């Protein structure tokens, strides 16, 4: 993506602003179909970025939306996705979320534990329906080189692999549920094709075990992809061209077995699709030379981008990929970039090398399409809410969402 | 504060909810007056907690509100504080914030650098007014044992102490400004009375230096208090009774000097006032035994309380002070508490000892009155927005703020 569109977006709409290249995002989803030659449908994890214009733009290219809250189920419906093509996972679904999703006719409820199952079955029976469900499984192992991992240790997610024999028969015994398949998401943000293939090999083994225990012929298998994106200047991206020769044989072997003949395989991903096609745009508001450092104060801080400030699970904050959109040919110097908040932890970059950064210059932070705006404390210190700008069919539009928090009544919030 | 009011609030209004004891907060502000026998007025830093019901309740007890954004200036006005009793500080004020604050008739604009000064003076001259200003100074040193420090190193805050001689004359030469005093806030969250007194001694020295350089007789001095609150079970609170014998002589000595005779001294604080009188209330939604751990999934996670999850500047996450409101007499066991988010970093507590935690139990997290709700990414994964409940004159009220983000037009966002 050229600098000019980002500069145009910042100048035209003002900052702070998130900028999403919907055209590139659609291309990237289409690429998945080509890469795996139709072996996988794509399930988009709304949590990565729930912007309504984005959901609407990508909906035609997906098999399903994966929602992680009832609020996200409603977002999927608002984007025009039929309820039957929404899956709903999440380790702590409130009772009202489970019953609400069934009432909305959700396609697949992903059960994370037997409590989910009991509540769902009782409600389905009461309504006189049978709810289609998947069971999420938490593996004993995840290969090294995943950025964040839920597997192998104690975890709130899914049914631990070693407990399947005890728990699957109970779930299958419940009259309101129909088990049609399994879901595994054991680690995220992996940049190594071999590790992803190794992980899928583990998934295939577990799917076979779960098939044997349950006796069903699964029609749906969800592969939590873990496809990562580079955040730091020296990181190499995932070589997606390397994936098919490693991954396709795993899927082909599985599908050649009679029990898996009708298994509809899905890649669940969010970050890999939207992350690299989003930027935070910020403007330099003020400057200060202080004790040997050239400090530039920007209009966006951790209130607008928690992850880029190293505050979302990072152990050591490191500089993300910054560009000076307004002065790309300026002489390079070293800057400290901070946000507008009255706290010393509001730091965007330390000692970052950039073309001279001047007051009023627009800067961008790359890899910001996923876990950006909605994962940030936008209310902190009552600064303006960031705009959201999209590039669609080559044109710029503002797509800032009117903030609508779902207000749940007492019954709905009860656990 | 007894468990029963918190339990009542959770049961009556539902969770997740922040609970603020406004009665105790008012008592705590009054305590400051007693402790220092009128030596200090109190300036409340809105950023700690901007809840409108809270601002309204404490306004009569304060000398000023300190705002850190134009949005916070508007919050102070909405709470009924006269513009003349609002101060506005912040290291990256957008141009429109400076001119907007002057247009609103703000009492004191706190200049953090000469750019603030130039913009403010030009606008005041254009309007035919003279804007009262303070200059924020960034000390060379801060005593050890402050939780977070802005002093001593390169910092975006204020004018570095060593630059006063170069910068004050310039600011004083600007025709639209009237310099009436100084502001220092060099470190926060200190639990040691001696360190706070040592810090105030540094302030007094710097105020004397700045007085000499500027030649003014200051009418206003703001002491960024740094009074801390304990967050962890084994932390001892600040012994505020120990403060007056250490601090009062510093103030009395300063005020005995002719140049400081009319100096109105103010303590700026936020955390110390509201922090200990707020709790996050959450309900247990689900449970899981996983690989030797007893996990309880709650309806609040880092989306509702970033700091308690160790994600707001902490190096090592440590368990805050949890209570099981529903089962205080239960048998103690060890639990892992997590939130509802689909990410392994959503962890409230590791191996915390609590009376048996059962599904539907209400838990509270203490020390949550400051930097709680507004410092958290409440939109993440579209979970319900937390309620805010206040205890006022012994009665419980819902005081959830209708979310109103200020939308700035293009002119207002321009740097």
């Amino acid at each position: 993506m050229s600098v000019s569109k980002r500069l145009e977006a910042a100048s035209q709409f003002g900052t702070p602003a998130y900028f999403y290249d919907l055209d590139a995002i659609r291309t990237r989803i289409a690429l998945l179909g080509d890469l795996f030659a139709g072996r996988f449908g794509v399930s988009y994890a709304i949590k990565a970025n729930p912007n309504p214009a984005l959901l609407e733009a990508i909906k035609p290219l997906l098999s399903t939306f994966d929602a992680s809250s009832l609020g996200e189920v409603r977002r999927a419906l608002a984007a025009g996705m039929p309820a039957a093509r929404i899956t709903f996972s999440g380790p702590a679904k409130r009772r009202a979320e489970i019953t609400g999703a069934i009432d909305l006719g959700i396609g697949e409820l992903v059960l994370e534990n037997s409590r989910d199952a009991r509540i769902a079955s009782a409600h389905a029976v009461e309504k006189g329906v049978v709810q289609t469900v998947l069971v999420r499984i938490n593996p004993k192992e995840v290969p090294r080189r995943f950025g964040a991992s839920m597997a192998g240790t104690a975890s709130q997610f899914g049914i631990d692999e070693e407990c399947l024999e005890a728990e699957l028969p109970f779930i299958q015994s419940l009259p309101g549920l129909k088990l049609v398949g399994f879901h595994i998401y054991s680690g995220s943000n992996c940049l190594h094709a071999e590790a992803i293939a190794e992980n899928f090999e583990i998934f295939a083994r577990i799917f076979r075990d779960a098939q044997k225990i349950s006796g069903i012929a699964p029609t749906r298998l969800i592969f939590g992809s873990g496809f990562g994106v580079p955040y730091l200047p020296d990181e190499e991206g995932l070589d997606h061209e390397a994936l098919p020769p490693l991954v396709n044989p795993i899927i082909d072997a599985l599908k050649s077995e009679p029990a898996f003949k009708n298994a509809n395989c899905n890649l669940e991903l969010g970050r890999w699709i939207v992350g690299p096609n989003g930027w935070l745009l910020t403007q330099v508001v003020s400057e200060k030379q202080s004790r040997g450092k050239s400090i530039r104060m920007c209009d966006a801080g951790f209130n607008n981008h928690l992850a880029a400030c190293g505050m979302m699970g990072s152990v050591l904050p490191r500089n993300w990929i910054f560009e000076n959109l307004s002065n790309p040919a300026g002489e390079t110097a070293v800057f400290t970039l901070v946000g507008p908040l009255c706290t010393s932890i509001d730091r965007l970059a330390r000692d970052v090398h950039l073309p001279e950064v001047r007051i009023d210059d627009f800067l961008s932070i790359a890899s910001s399409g996923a876990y950006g705006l909605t994962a940030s404390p936008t209310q902190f210190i009552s600064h303006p809410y960031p705009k959201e700008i999209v590039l669609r069919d080559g044109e710029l539009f503002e797509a800032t969402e009117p903030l609508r928090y779902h207000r749940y009544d007492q019954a709905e919030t009860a656990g």
Side-chain angles (χ1 to χ4, degrees), chain A residues 42 54 68 71 73 87 117 121 140 147 151 188 215 221 223 226 253 264 266 280 286 298 301 345 356 376 395:
Chain A
V42 173
L54 166 70
S68 296
V73 170
T87 62
S121 177
K140 276 187 289 215
S188 69
L221 297 173
F223 291 70
N264 178 354
N266 269 256
L280 177 64
S286 193
C298 304
I345 60 173
E356 192 191 349
S376 298
E395 286 193 73

Side-chain angles (χ1 to χ4, degrees), chain A residues 28 56 75 78 93 103 117 140 158 203-204 271 275 312 326 330 370 384 389 399 403 407:
Chain A
R28 203 156 162 91
E56 241 178 82
R75 282 175 174 273
K93 302 179 193 82
D103 292 346
K140 276 187 289 215
F203 290 9
R271 186 195 310 267
M312 206 174 148
S326 303
I389 314 300
L403 284 157
R407 284 300 178 82

Side-chain angles (χ1 to χ4, degrees), chain A residues 20 43-51 54-55 58 65-69 71-73 75-76 87-91 112 136 150 157 183-189 222 224-226 268-272 274-275 312 368-376 388:
Chain A
Y20 313 126
S43 181
Y44 176 70
I46 295 174
K47 63 177 180 282
N49 187 333
N51 179 275
L54 166 70
L55 298 186
I58 65 176
F65 276 128
D66 184 70
S68 296
S69 68
E72 287 192 349
V73 170
R75 282 175 174 273
T87 62
F88 177 22
S89 54
E112 304 252 356
R136 179 168 179 177
M150 295 89 165
F157 299 102
H183 174 292
I184 307 182
Y185 202 121
S186 55
S188 69
N189 201 30
I222 299 188
S225 74
E268 184 189 317
L269 16 62
R271 186 195 310 267
W272 185 85
V274 294
M312 206 174 148
S368 300
Y371 305 110
L373 178 58
T374 60
S376 298
E388 292 180 283

Side-chain angles (χ1 to χ4, degrees), chain A residues 382-398:
Chain A
S382 302
H383 285 283
Y385 191 73
K387 295 190 169 72
E388 292 180 283
I389 314 300
V390 299
L391 183 71
R392 193 176 59 204
D393 302 324
E395 286 193 73
L396 295 173
F397 299 91
E398 180 170 355

Side-chain angles (χ1 to χ4, degrees), chain A residues 149-297:
Chain A
S149 145
M150 295 89 165
T153 57
S155 153
Q156 64 265 46
F157 299 102
I159 292 175
D160 293 341
E161 182 186 345
E162 60 272 27
C163 302
L164 283 176
E165 269 187 276
E167 301 213 26
L168 275 187
F170 168 73
I171 290 172
Q172 289 182 276
S173 77
L174 292 170
L177 309 182
K178 182 184 180 197
L179 178 68
V180 300
F182 305 99
H183 174 292
I184 307 182
Y185 202 121
S186 55
S188 69
N189 201 30
C190 179
L191 296 173
H192 306 279
E194 302 75 16
I196 286 170
E198 202 183 321
N199 203 31
F200 282 14
E201 194 73 82
I202 294 169
F203 290 9
R205 176 184 59 70
I206 295 172
F207 288 146
R208 288 185 179 100
D209 291 347
Q211 188 280 319
K212 280 195 201 103
I213 294 167
S214 65
I216 66 166
T219 53
R220 240 322 248 174
L221 297 173
I222 299 188
F223 291 70
S225 74
F227 293 7
V229 306
Y231 287 96
L232 309 177
D234 55 359
E235 269 182 326
E236 269 195 56
L238 172 65
D239 178 6
H240 50 254
E241 303 284 347
L243 285 169
L246 298 167
V247 165
N248 290 351
I250 299 169
I251 304 305
D252 293 343
L254 192 67
K255 298 260 298 181
S256 73
E257 298 166 25
F260 290 96
K261 195 174 48 147
N262 295 318
N264 178 354
C265 294
N266 269 256
L267 283 177
E268 184 189 317
L269 16 62
R271 186 195 310 267
W272 185 85
I273 293 175
V274 294
N277 296 307
W279 290 261
L280 177 64
L281 308 176
T282 180
Q283 188 170 25
V284 179
V285 170
S286 193
E287 62 183 7
K288 183 180 171 191
Q289 282 299 123
S290 178
R291 297 164 183 162
K293 301 280 183 191
S294 297
I295 302 176
R296 296 296 180 269
M297 294 82 129

Side-chain angles (χ1 to χ4, degrees), chain A residues 334-361:
Chain A
V334 178
F335 298 94
T336 297
L337 303 178
V338 304
L341 306 177
C342 276
T343 160
S344 56
I345 60 173
D346 189 29
R347 195 176 295 261
L348 292 164
R350 293 161 199 266
D351 296 335
V352 64
H353 292 251
L354 279 176
E356 192 191 349
V357 179
R358 309 156 305 182
I359 288 182
D360 291 343
D361 278 357

